[in-house]
Structure formats: C-alpha cells, structure tokens
Coordinates of all heavy atoms in Angstrom, one line a residue:
M1 N 56.6 -50.9 21.2 CA 55.1 -50.7 21.4 C 54.9 -49.6 22.4 O 55.5 -49.6 23.5 CB 54.5 -52.0 21.7 CG 52.9 -52.0 21.6 SD 52.2 -53.6 22.0 CE 51.7 -53.4 23.6
M2 N 53.9 -48.8 22.1 CA 53.6 -47.7 23.1 C 52.9 -48.3 24.3 O 52.0 -49.2 24.2 CB 52.7 -46.7 22.4 CG 52.7 -45.4 23.2 SD 51.7 -44.2 22.2 CE 51.0 -43.2 23.6
N3 N 53.3 -47.8 25.5 CA 52.6 -48.2 26.7 C 51.3 -47.5 26.8 O 51.3 -46.3 27.0 CB 53.6 -47.9 27.9 CG 53.2 -48.7 29.1 OD1 52.4 -49.7 29.1 ND2 53.9 -48.4 30.2
T4 N 50.2 -48.2 26.7 CA 48.9 -47.5 26.9 C 48.1 -48.2 27.9 O 48.2 -49.5 28.0 CB 48.1 -47.5 25.5 OG1 48.0 -48.8 25.0 CG2 48.8 -46.6 24.5
P5 N 47.3 -47.5 28.7 CA 46.5 -48.2 29.7 C 45.2 -48.8 29.1 O 44.6 -48.2 28.2 CB 46.1 -47.1 30.7 CG 46.3 -45.8 29.9 CD 47.1 -46.1 28.7
E6 N 44.8 -49.9 29.6 CA 43.6 -50.6 29.2 C 42.4 -50.0 30.0 O 41.3 -50.0 29.5 CB 43.7 -52.1 29.3 CG 44.7 -52.6 28.3 CD 44.8 -54.2 28.4 OE1 44.2 -54.8 29.3 OE2 45.5 -54.7 27.5
H7 N 42.7 -49.7 31.2 CA 41.7 -49.1 32.1 C 42.2 -47.9 32.9 O 43.3 -48.0 33.4 CB 41.2 -50.2 33.1 CG 40.6 -51.4 32.5 ND1 39.4 -51.4 31.9 CD2 41.2 -52.6 32.4 CE1 39.2 -52.7 31.4 NE2 40.3 -53.4 31.7
I8 N 41.4 -46.9 33.0 CA 41.7 -45.8 33.9 C 40.5 -45.6 34.8 O 39.4 -45.5 34.3 CB 41.9 -44.5 33.0 CG1 43.0 -44.7 32.0 CG2 42.3 -43.3 34.0 CD1 43.1 -43.5 31.0
T9 N 40.7 -45.6 36.0 CA 39.6 -45.4 37.0 C 40.0 -44.4 38.1 O 41.2 -44.4 38.5 CB 39.2 -46.7 37.7 OG1 40.1 -47.8 37.2 CG2 37.8 -47.1 37.4
V10 N 39.1 -43.7 38.5 CA 39.3 -42.8 39.7 C 38.6 -43.6 40.9 O 37.4 -43.9 40.8 CB 38.7 -41.4 39.5 CG1 38.9 -40.6 40.8 CG2 39.3 -40.7 38.3
H11 N 39.5 -44.0 41.8 CA 39.0 -44.7 43.0 C 38.1 -43.8 43.8 O 38.7 -42.8 44.3 CB 40.1 -45.4 43.7 CG 39.7 -46.3 44.8 ND1 40.1 -46.1 46.1 CD2 39.0 -47.5 44.7 CE1 39.5 -47.1 46.8 NE2 38.9 -48.0 46.0
A12 N 36.9 -44.1 44.0 CA 35.9 -43.2 44.7 C 36.4 -42.9 46.1 O 36.3 -41.7 46.5 CB 34.5 -43.8 44.7
A13 N 36.8 -43.8 46.9 CA 37.1 -43.6 48.3 C 38.4 -42.8 48.5 O 38.4 -41.8 49.3 CB 37.2 -44.9 49.0
S14 N 39.4 -43.2 47.8 CA 40.7 -42.5 48.0 C 40.9 -41.3 47.1 O 41.8 -40.5 47.3 CB 41.8 -43.5 47.8 OG 41.9 -43.9 46.4
G15 N 40.2 -41.3 46.0 CA 40.4 -40.2 45.0 C 41.6 -40.5 44.1 O 41.9 -39.7 43.2
R16 N 42.3 -41.6 44.3 CA 43.5 -41.8 43.5 C 43.1 -42.4 42.1 O 42.1 -42.9 41.9 CB 44.4 -42.9 44.2 CG 45.0 -42.3 45.4 CD 46.0 -43.3 46.0 NE 45.4 -44.6 46.3 CZ 46.1 -45.7 46.5 NH1 47.4 -45.7 46.5 NH2 45.5 -46.9 46.8
L17 N 44.0 -42.1 41.2 CA 43.9 -42.6 39.8 C 44.5 -43.9 39.7 O 45.6 -44.1 40.1 CB 44.5 -41.6 38.8 CG 44.2 -41.8 37.4 CD1 42.8 -41.4 37.0 CD2 45.2 -41.0 36.5
S18 N 43.8 -44.9 39.1 CA 44.4 -46.2 38.9 C 44.5 -46.4 37.4 O 43.5 -46.2 36.6 CB 43.5 -47.2 39.6 OG 43.3 -48.3 38.8
L19 N 45.6 -46.9 36.9 CA 45.9 -47.1 35.5 C 46.3 -48.6 35.4 O 47.2 -49.0 36.1 CB 47.0 -46.3 35.0 CG 46.8 -44.8 35.0 CD1 48.1 -44.1 35.5 CD2 46.4 -44.3 33.7
T20 N 45.6 -49.3 34.6 CA 46.0 -50.7 34.3 C 46.6 -50.7 32.9 O 45.9 -50.4 31.9 CB 44.8 -51.7 34.4 OG1 44.2 -51.6 35.7 CG2 45.3 -53.1 34.1
W21 N 47.9 -50.9 32.8 CA 48.7 -50.8 31.6 C 48.5 -52.1 30.8 O 48.1 -53.1 31.3 CB 50.1 -50.6 31.9 CG 50.4 -49.2 32.5 CD1 50.5 -49.0 33.9 CD2 50.4 -47.9 31.9 NE1 50.7 -47.7 34.1 CE2 50.6 -47.0 32.9 CE3 50.2 -47.5 30.6 CZ2 50.6 -45.6 32.7 CZ3 50.3 -46.2 30.3 CH2 50.5 -45.2 31.3
N22 N 48.8 -52.0 29.5 CA 48.6 -53.2 28.6 C 49.6 -54.3 29.0 O 49.4 -55.5 28.6 CB 48.6 -52.9 27.2 CG 49.9 -52.1 26.8 OD1 50.8 -52.0 27.5 ND2 49.8 -51.5 25.6
S23 N 50.6 -54.0 29.8 CA 51.5 -55.0 30.3 C 50.8 -55.8 31.5 O 51.4 -56.8 31.9 CB 52.7 -54.4 30.9 OG 52.4 -53.5 32.0
G24 N 49.7 -55.3 32.0 CA 49.0 -56.0 33.1 C 49.3 -55.4 34.4 O 48.7 -55.7 35.4
H25 N 50.3 -54.4 34.4 CA 50.7 -53.8 35.6 C 49.7 -52.7 36.0 O 49.2 -52.0 35.1 CB 52.1 -53.1 35.4 CG 52.5 -52.2 36.5 ND1 52.8 -52.6 37.8 CD2 52.6 -50.9 36.5 CE1 53.2 -51.6 38.5 NE2 53.1 -50.5 37.8
T26 N 49.3 -52.6 37.3 CA 48.3 -51.6 37.7 C 49.1 -50.6 38.6 O 49.9 -50.9 39.5 CB 47.2 -52.2 38.6 OG1 46.4 -53.1 37.7 CG2 46.3 -51.1 39.1
Q27 N 48.9 -49.3 38.2 CA 49.7 -48.2 38.8 C 48.7 -47.3 39.5 O 47.6 -47.0 39.0 CB 50.4 -47.5 37.8 CG 51.2 -46.3 38.3 CD 51.8 -45.5 37.1 OE1 51.5 -45.7 35.9 NE2 52.7 -44.5 37.4
W28 N 49.0 -46.9 40.8 CA 48.1 -46.0 41.5 C 48.9 -44.7 41.6 O 50.0 -44.6 41.9 CB 47.8 -46.5 42.9 CG 46.9 -47.7 42.9 CD1 47.3 -49.0 42.8 CD2 45.5 -47.7 43.0 NE1 46.2 -49.8 42.9 CE2 45.1 -49.1 43.0 CE3 44.5 -46.7 43.1 CZ2 43.8 -49.4 43.1 CZ3 43.2 -47.1 43.2 CH2 42.8 -48.4 43.2
I29 N 48.2 -43.6 41.3 CA 48.8 -42.2 41.5 C 47.9 -41.4 42.3 O 46.7 -41.3 42.1 CB 49.0 -41.5 40.1 CG1 49.8 -42.5 39.1 CG2 49.8 -40.3 40.3 CD1 49.9 -41.9 37.7
D30 N 48.5 -40.8 43.4 CA 47.8 -40.0 44.3 C 47.3 -38.7 43.6 O 48.0 -38.1 42.8 CB 48.7 -39.6 45.4 CG 48.0 -38.8 46.5 OD1 47.3 -39.4 47.3 OD2 48.3 -37.6 46.6
N31 N 46.0 -38.3 43.9 CA 45.4 -37.1 43.2 C 46.2 -35.8 43.4 O 46.4 -35.1 42.5 CB 44.0 -37.0 43.6 CG 43.7 -37.3 45.0 OD1 44.4 -38.1 45.6 ND2 42.6 -36.7 45.5
A32 N 46.7 -35.6 44.6 CA 47.5 -34.4 44.9 C 48.8 -34.4 44.2 O 49.3 -33.4 43.7 CB 47.7 -34.3 46.4
T33 N 49.4 -35.6 44.1 CA 50.7 -35.8 43.3 C 50.4 -35.4 41.8 O 51.2 -34.7 41.2 CB 51.2 -37.2 43.4 OG1 51.4 -37.5 44.8 CG2 52.5 -37.4 42.7
L34 N 49.3 -36.0 41.3 CA 49.0 -35.7 39.9 C 48.8 -34.2 39.7 O 49.3 -33.6 38.7 CB 47.7 -36.3 39.5 CG 47.7 -37.7 38.9 CD1 46.2 -38.1 38.7 CD2 48.4 -37.7 37.6
R35 N 48.2 -33.5 40.6 CA 47.9 -32.1 40.5 C 49.3 -31.3 40.6 O 49.5 -30.4 39.8 CB 47.0 -31.6 41.6 CG 46.7 -30.1 41.6 CD 46.0 -29.7 40.4 NE 45.8 -28.2 40.4 CZ 46.7 -27.3 40.1 NH1 47.9 -27.7 39.6 NH2 46.5 -26.0 40.1
A36 N 50.1 -31.8 41.5 CA 51.4 -31.1 41.6 C 52.3 -31.3 40.4 O 53.2 -30.5 40.1 CB 52.1 -31.6 42.9
R37 N 52.1 -32.4 39.7 CA 52.9 -32.7 38.6 C 52.3 -32.3 37.3 O 52.6 -32.8 36.2 CB 53.3 -34.2 38.6 CG 54.1 -34.7 39.8 CD 55.5 -34.4 39.7 NE 56.1 -35.1 38.5 CZ 56.7 -36.3 38.6 NH1 56.8 -36.9 39.7 NH2 57.2 -36.8 37.5
C38 N 51.3 -31.4 37.3 CA 50.6 -31.0 36.1 C 51.6 -30.5 35.1 O 52.4 -29.7 35.3 CB 49.6 -29.9 36.5 SG 48.7 -29.2 35.0
P39 N 51.5 -31.1 33.8 CA 52.5 -30.7 32.8 C 52.1 -29.5 32.0 O 52.7 -29.3 30.9 CB 52.5 -32.0 32.0 CG 51.1 -32.6 32.1 CD 50.6 -32.2 33.4
C40 N 51.0 -28.8 32.3 CA 50.7 -27.6 31.5 C 51.7 -26.5 31.6 O 52.5 -26.5 32.5 CB 49.3 -27.1 31.8 SG 49.2 -26.0 33.2
S41 N 51.7 -25.7 30.6 CA 52.8 -24.7 30.5 C 52.8 -23.7 31.7 O 53.9 -23.4 32.2 CB 52.7 -23.9 29.2 OG 51.4 -23.3 29.1
T42 N 51.6 -23.4 32.3 CA 51.6 -22.5 33.4 C 52.2 -23.2 34.6 O 53.1 -22.6 35.3 CB 50.1 -22.2 33.7 OG1 49.5 -21.6 32.6 CG2 50.0 -21.2 34.9
C43 N 51.9 -24.4 34.9 CA 52.4 -25.1 36.1 C 53.9 -25.4 35.9 O 54.7 -25.2 36.9 CB 51.7 -26.4 36.3 SG 50.0 -26.2 36.8
R44 N 54.3 -25.7 34.7 CA 55.8 -25.9 34.5 C 56.6 -24.7 34.7 O 57.6 -24.7 35.3 CB 56.0 -26.5 33.1 CG 55.9 -28.0 33.0 CD 56.2 -28.5 31.7 NE 55.5 -27.8 30.7 CZ 55.7 -27.9 29.4 NH1 56.5 -28.7 28.9 NH2 55.0 -27.1 28.5
R45 N 56.0 -23.5 34.2 CA 56.7 -22.3 34.4 C 56.8 -22.0 35.9 O 57.9 -21.6 36.4 CB 56.0 -21.2 33.7 CG 56.8 -19.9 33.6 CD 56.1 -19.0 32.5 NE 54.8 -19.5 32.4 CZ 53.7 -18.8 32.3 NH1 53.7 -17.7 32.2 NH2 52.5 -19.3 32.3
L46 N 55.7 -22.2 36.7 CA 55.8 -21.9 38.1 C 56.8 -22.8 38.8 O 57.6 -22.4 39.7 CB 54.4 -22.2 38.7 CG 53.3 -21.1 38.4 CD1 52.0 -21.6 38.9 CD2 53.7 -19.8 39.2
T47 N 56.8 -24.1 38.4 CA 57.7 -25.0 39.0 C 59.2 -24.6 38.8 O 60.0 -24.6 39.7 CB 57.5 -26.5 38.5 OG1 56.1 -26.8 38.8 CG2 58.4 -27.5 39.2
H48 N 59.4 -24.3 37.5 CA 60.8 -23.9 37.1 C 61.3 -22.6 37.8 O 62.4 -22.5 38.1 CB 60.9 -23.8 35.6 CG 61.0 -25.1 34.9 ND1 62.1 -25.7 34.5 CD2 60.0 -26.0 34.6 CE1 61.9 -26.9 34.0 NE2 60.6 -27.0 34.0
S49 N 60.3 -21.7 38.1 CA 60.7 -20.5 38.8 C 60.7 -20.7 40.3 O 60.8 -19.7 41.1 CB 59.8 -19.4 38.4 OG 58.5 -19.6 38.8
G50 N 60.4 -21.9 40.8 CA 60.4 -22.2 42.2 C 59.2 -21.7 43.0 O 59.2 -21.5 44.2
Q51 N 58.1 -21.4 42.2 CA 56.9 -20.8 42.8 C 55.7 -21.7 42.6 O 54.7 -21.3 42.3 CB 56.6 -19.4 42.2 CG 57.7 -18.4 42.4 CD 57.5 -17.2 41.5 OE1 56.6 -17.2 40.6 NE2 58.2 -16.1 41.8
A52 N 56.0 -23.0 42.7 CA 54.9 -24.0 42.4 C 53.7 -23.6 43.2 O 53.7 -23.3 44.4 CB 55.4 -25.4 42.8
A53 N 52.5 -23.7 42.5 CA 51.3 -23.4 43.2 C 51.1 -24.3 44.4 O 51.5 -25.5 44.4 CB 50.1 -23.6 42.2
R54 N 50.5 -23.7 45.4 CA 50.2 -24.5 46.6 C 49.1 -25.5 46.3 O 48.0 -25.1 45.8 CB 49.8 -23.6 47.8 CG 50.2 -24.2 49.1 CD 50.2 -23.1 50.2 NE 48.9 -22.5 50.3 CZ 47.9 -23.0 51.0 NH1 48.1 -24.0 51.8 NH2 46.7 -22.3 51.1
I55 N 49.3 -26.8 46.5 CA 48.3 -27.8 46.2 C 47.6 -28.2 47.5 O 48.2 -28.6 48.5 CB 49.0 -29.0 45.6 CG1 49.9 -28.6 44.4 CG2 47.9 -30.0 45.1 CD1 49.2 -27.9 43.3
E56 N 46.3 -28.1 47.5 CA 45.5 -28.6 48.6 C 45.6 -30.1 48.6 O 45.4 -30.7 47.6 CB 44.1 -28.2 48.5 CG 43.8 -26.7 48.5 CD 44.3 -26.0 49.8 OE1 44.3 -26.7 50.8 OE2 44.6 -24.8 49.7
P57 N 45.9 -30.7 49.7 CA 46.0 -32.2 49.8 C 44.7 -32.9 49.4 O 44.7 -34.0 49.0 CB 46.4 -32.5 51.2 CG 46.6 -31.3 51.9 CD 46.2 -30.1 51.0
C58 N 43.6 -32.1 49.6 CA 42.3 -32.7 49.4 C 41.8 -32.5 47.9 O 40.7 -32.9 47.6 CB 41.3 -32.2 50.3 SG 41.1 -30.4 50.2
V59 N 42.7 -31.9 47.1 CA 42.2 -31.7 45.7 C 41.8 -33.0 45.1 O 42.4 -34.0 45.2 CB 43.3 -31.0 44.9 CG1 44.5 -31.9 44.6 CG2 42.8 -30.5 43.5
A60 N 40.6 -33.0 44.4 CA 40.1 -34.2 43.9 C 40.1 -34.2 42.3 O 40.2 -33.1 41.7 CB 38.6 -34.4 44.4
I61 N 40.0 -35.4 41.8 CA 39.9 -35.5 40.3 C 38.4 -35.5 40.0 O 37.6 -36.3 40.5 CB 40.5 -36.8 39.8 CG1 42.0 -36.8 40.1 CG2 40.3 -37.0 38.4 CD1 42.7 -38.2 40.0
V62 N 38.0 -34.5 39.2 CA 36.6 -34.4 38.9 C 36.3 -35.1 37.6 O 35.2 -35.7 37.4 CB 36.2 -32.9 38.7 CG1 34.8 -32.7 38.2 CG2 36.5 -32.1 40.0
D63 N 37.2 -35.1 36.6 CA 36.9 -35.7 35.4 C 38.2 -36.1 34.7 O 39.3 -35.5 34.9 CB 36.1 -34.8 34.5 CG 35.4 -35.5 33.3 OD1 35.3 -36.7 33.3 OD2 35.0 -34.8 32.4
V64 N 38.2 -37.2 33.9 CA 39.3 -37.6 33.1 C 38.8 -37.8 31.7 O 37.9 -38.6 31.4 CB 39.8 -39.0 33.7 CG1 40.9 -39.5 32.8 CG2 40.3 -38.8 35.1
Q65 N 39.4 -37.0 30.8 CA 39.0 -37.0 29.4 C 40.1 -37.7 28.5 O 41.2 -37.1 28.4 CB 38.8 -35.6 28.9 CG 37.6 -35.0 29.5 CD 36.3 -35.5 28.9 OE1 36.2 -36.1 27.8 NE2 35.2 -35.4 29.7
P66 N 39.9 -38.8 27.8 CA 40.9 -39.4 27.0 C 41.2 -38.4 25.8 O 40.3 -37.8 25.2 CB 40.2 -40.6 26.4 CG 39.0 -40.9 27.3 CD 38.6 -39.5 27.8
M67 N 42.5 -38.3 25.5 CA 43.0 -37.4 24.5 C 43.8 -38.1 23.4 O 44.5 -37.5 22.7 CB 43.8 -36.2 25.1 CG 43.1 -35.4 26.1 SD 41.8 -34.4 25.4 CE 42.7 -33.1 24.6
G68 N 43.7 -39.4 23.3 CA 44.4 -40.2 22.4 C 45.8 -40.6 22.9 O 46.0 -41.7 23.1
Y69 N 46.7 -39.6 23.0 CA 48.0 -39.9 23.5 C 48.1 -39.8 25.0 O 49.2 -40.0 25.6 CB 49.0 -38.9 22.8 CG 48.8 -37.5 23.2 CD1 49.6 -36.9 24.2 CD2 47.9 -36.7 22.5 CE1 49.4 -35.6 24.6 CE2 47.7 -35.4 22.9 CZ 48.5 -34.8 23.9 OH 48.3 -33.5 24.2
G70 N 47.0 -39.5 25.7 CA 47.1 -39.3 27.1 C 45.7 -38.9 27.6 O 44.7 -39.2 27.0
V71 N 45.6 -38.3 28.8 CA 44.4 -37.8 29.3 C 44.4 -36.4 29.8 O 45.5 -36.0 30.3 CB 43.9 -38.7 30.5 CG1 43.2 -40.0 30.1 CG2 45.0 -38.9 31.6
Q72 N 43.3 -35.7 29.7 CA 43.2 -34.4 30.3 C 42.5 -34.7 31.6 O 41.5 -35.4 31.7 CB 42.3 -33.5 29.4 CG 42.1 -32.1 30.1 CD 41.1 -31.3 29.2 OE1 40.4 -31.8 28.3 NE2 41.1 -30.0 29.5
I73 N 43.0 -34.1 32.7 CA 42.5 -34.3 34.0 C 41.9 -33.0 34.6 O 42.6 -32.0 34.5 CB 43.5 -34.9 35.0 CG1 44.0 -36.2 34.4 CG2 42.9 -35.1 36.4 CD1 45.1 -36.9 35.3
V74 N 40.7 -33.0 35.0 CA 40.0 -31.9 35.6 C 40.0 -32.1 37.1 O 39.5 -33.1 37.6 CB 38.5 -31.8 35.1 CG1 37.8 -30.5 35.6 CG2 38.5 -31.7 33.5
F75 N 40.5 -31.0 37.8 CA 40.7 -31.1 39.2 C 39.6 -30.2 39.9 O 39.1 -29.3 39.3 CB 42.1 -30.7 39.7 CG 43.2 -31.6 39.3 CD1 43.9 -31.4 38.1 CD2 43.4 -32.7 40.0 CE1 44.9 -32.3 37.7 CE2 44.4 -33.6 39.7 CZ 45.2 -33.4 38.5
S76 N 39.3 -30.6 41.2 CA 38.3 -29.8 41.9 C 38.7 -28.4 42.2 O 37.8 -27.6 42.6 CB 38.0 -30.6 43.2 OG 39.2 -30.7 44.0
D77 N 40.0 -28.0 42.0 CA 40.3 -26.6 42.2 C 40.1 -25.8 41.0 O 40.5 -24.7 40.9 CB 41.8 -26.5 42.8 CG 42.8 -27.1 41.8 OD1 42.4 -27.6 40.7 OD2 44.0 -27.0 42.1
G78 N 39.5 -26.5 39.9 CA 39.2 -25.8 38.7 C 40.3 -25.9 37.7 O 40.1 -25.4 36.5
H79 N 41.4 -26.5 38.0 CA 42.5 -26.6 37.0 C 42.3 -27.7 36.1 O 42.0 -28.8 36.5 CB 43.8 -26.7 37.8 CG 45.0 -26.4 36.9 ND1 45.3 -25.1 36.5 CD2 46.0 -27.2 36.4 CE1 46.4 -25.2 35.7 NE2 46.8 -26.4 35.6
A80 N 42.3 -27.5 34.8 CA 42.0 -28.5 33.8 C 42.9 -28.4 32.6 O 42.6 -29.0 31.5 CB 40.5 -28.4 33.4
Q81 N 44.0 -27.6 32.7 CA 44.8 -27.3 31.5 C 45.8 -28.5 31.2 O 46.4 -28.5 30.2 CB 45.6 -26.1 31.7 CG 44.8 -24.8 31.4 CD 44.2 -24.3 32.7 OE1 43.8 -25.0 33.5 NE2 44.0 -23.0 32.8
G82 N 46.0 -29.4 32.2 CA 47.0 -30.4 32.1 C 46.6 -31.5 31.2 O 45.6 -32.2 31.5
I83 N 47.4 -31.9 30.2 CA 47.2 -33.1 29.4 C 48.4 -34.0 29.7 O 49.5 -33.6 29.4 CB 47.0 -32.8 27.9 CG1 45.7 -32.0 27.7 CG2 46.9 -34.1 27.1 CD1 45.5 -31.4 26.3
Y84 N 48.1 -35.1 30.3 CA 49.1 -36.0 30.8 C 49.3 -37.1 29.8 O 48.5 -38.0 29.6 CB 48.7 -36.7 32.1 CG 48.5 -35.7 33.3 CD1 47.5 -34.7 33.3 CD2 49.4 -35.7 34.4 CE1 47.3 -33.9 34.3 CE2 49.2 -34.8 35.4 CZ 48.2 -33.9 35.4 OH 48.0 -33.0 36.4
P85 N 50.5 -37.1 29.0 CA 50.7 -38.2 28.1 C 51.0 -39.5 28.8 O 51.4 -39.5 30.0 CB 52.0 -37.7 27.4 CG 52.2 -36.3 27.7 CD 51.5 -36.1 29.0
W86 N 50.7 -40.6 28.2 CA 50.9 -41.9 28.8 C 52.2 -42.1 29.4 O 52.4 -42.6 30.6 CB 50.6 -43.1 27.9 CG 49.2 -43.0 27.2 CD1 48.9 -43.2 25.9 CD2 47.9 -42.8 27.9 NE1 47.5 -43.1 25.7 CE2 46.9 -42.9 26.9 CE3 47.6 -42.6 29.2 CZ2 45.6 -42.7 27.2 CZ3 46.2 -42.4 29.5 CH2 45.2 -42.5 28.5
D87 N 53.3 -41.8 28.6 CA 54.6 -42.0 29.1 C 54.9 -41.2 30.4 O 55.6 -41.6 31.3 CB 55.7 -41.6 28.1 CG 55.8 -42.6 27.0 OD1 55.2 -43.7 27.2 OD2 56.4 -42.4 25.9
Y88 N 54.3 -40.0 30.4 CA 54.5 -39.1 31.6 C 53.9 -39.7 32.8 O 54.4 -39.8 33.9 CB 53.9 -37.7 31.3 CG 54.2 -36.7 32.4 CD1 55.4 -36.1 32.6 CD2 53.1 -36.3 33.2 CE1 55.6 -35.2 33.6 CE2 53.3 -35.4 34.2 CZ 54.6 -34.8 34.4 OH 54.8 -33.9 35.4
L89 N 52.6 -40.2 32.6 CA 51.9 -40.9 33.8 C 52.7 -42.1 34.2 O 52.8 -42.3 35.4 CB 50.5 -41.3 33.3 CG 49.5 -40.2 33.2 CD1 48.2 -40.7 32.5 CD2 49.1 -39.6 34.5
A90 N 53.2 -42.9 33.3 CA 53.9 -44.1 33.7 C 55.2 -43.7 34.5 O 55.6 -44.5 35.3 CB 54.3 -44.9 32.4
G91 N 55.7 -42.5 34.3 CA 56.9 -42.1 35.0 C 56.7 -41.5 36.3 O 57.6 -41.2 37.1
I92 N 55.4 -41.3 36.7 CA 55.1 -40.7 38.0 C 55.0 -41.9 39.0 O 54.2 -42.7 38.9 CB 53.8 -39.9 38.0 CG1 53.9 -38.7 37.1 CG2 53.5 -39.4 39.4 CD1 52.6 -37.9 36.9
A93 N 55.9 -41.9 40.0 CA 55.9 -43.0 40.9 C 54.8 -42.9 41.9 O 54.4 -41.9 42.3 CB 57.2 -43.0 41.7
Ligands
ZN101 ZN1 48.7 -27.0 35.2

C-alpha cells in the first residue's frame, strides 16, 4: 500500500511542514531542509555539480499544492518548481 499522508500542515510559528501519514506517524520537516532537497531538475543538476544554491535559513513555505502523487511546494524565495512525491518526503529525515 502506498504511504500517503492524511494531513499536511505548515506550522505557522516554526514554518515547518508536518505530515501525518496513514500509518498514524507524524513527521516534521524543516522548511530550509525541504528547500535544500528540492527534487526539481534545476536543483538536482546544481546539487550534482556541487553548486547547490545557497538556501536562506529563513526561507518559508508559502503554499502547498496537492499533486496526487505528492505536493508542489512554493517557497518564499520564489522557487516553486519542486514536486515532492510522498515516498521522497517520507525519506527526508
Ligand atoms: Zn528546485
């Protein structure tokens, strides 16, 4: 069975993303970590070439759009290309 979250919330005070999986487990992911782990082709290319974009620690999550197999996350630095599949999110510690 696919691991899918029942609830996705952006915690207002900390800016962290909270995912409650259908297993009942709640996972917190730091917003700057999410931005640094953006799976879009541009960010992956930068990471692979050792030139990862500098991430502001204060980067915030502006919007979260469900995409069926995951979520598109819009960040306060204007980056919104990343679509994070559920399995990928589950694998971010
Ligand atoms: Zn990206």
